[in-house]
Amino acid sequence: DIIRGFHEHRNCEVLTARQMGKTTTAGAYLLWYAMFNPDKTILIAANVLRQALEIMHRIRTTYELCPDHIRAGVIAYNKSSIEFDNGSRIVAQATTPNTGRGMSISLLYVDEMAFAAPGLLEDMWTSLSPTLSTGGKAIITSTPKTDVDMFAKIWKGANDLTDEYGNPNSENGEGRNGYYAVS
């Protein structure tokens, strides 16, 4: 369900308990997306840099375990980014007001969004929204924290399957805010 949500919907939000494999699943999807879709920029934003680098470590490990015949060639390979010979790249950063600023992002992955500092998260979201509004994809995963943080607000909108008049609007399963909810 998680991978289907990532693949079939432009914006996807995943809410699960801890240690359910959401980050590992997302990392595998990001690697596939980069290797098989040329000229894409994928940004991983985590609440702290240590977590973003941990996700990159999982992606690098998965890449190294791929069979040679499907593994894309690599131009640059370090702790915080991987660049492939097809023009795609994966970059990991901590959530700050300037995260992703100046980048043309094809796919944004925000891990543990509910635990990012609220003011920083809103600033980052504001700076990335123009990129996402021009066709970029967004994947958000987290365990819950409160009922009022940004993750919770997006989750509620993703589960609101009505139109502006209150009529059912669930043709594609996306909520009123354009996000598809997976739990």
Side-chain angles (χ1 to χ4, degrees), residues 41-81:
T41 298
I42 299 153
L43 176 62
I44 298 169
N47 58 335
V48 292
L49 183 59
R50 179 181 39 79
Q51 179 62 23
L53 296 178
E54 172 60 27
I55 297 166
M56 283 300 298
H57 174 71
R58 292 179 194 187
I59 290 171
R60 285 192 314 273
T61 300
T62 304
Y63 174 79
E64 292 165 5
L65 293 172
C66 285
D68 289 340
H69 67 278
I70 65 167
R71 193 175 5 194
V74 170
I75 297 171
Y77 193 77
N78 59 56
K79 280 187 170 187
S80 63
S81 68

Side-chain angles (χ1 to χ4, degrees), residues 55-118:
I55 297 166
M56 283 300 298
H57 174 71
R58 292 179 194 187
I59 290 171
R60 285 192 314 273
T61 300
T62 304
Y63 174 79
E64 292 165 5
L65 293 172
C66 285
D68 289 340
H69 67 278
I70 65 167
R71 193 175 5 194
V74 170
I75 297 171
Y77 193 77
N78 59 56
K79 280 187 170 187
S80 63
S81 68
I82 301 174
E83 288 188 50
F84 297 95
D85 63 1
N86 67 358
S88 291
R89 64 185 175 144
I90 304 172
V91 179
Q93 298 179 354
T95 303
T96 70
N98 293 315
T99 300
R101 190 173 297 277
M103 297 175 71
S104 295
I105 300 166
S106 307
L107 174 57
L108 170 66
Y109 173 52
V110 182
D111 185 52
E112 292 298 352
M113 183 185 224
F115 294 88

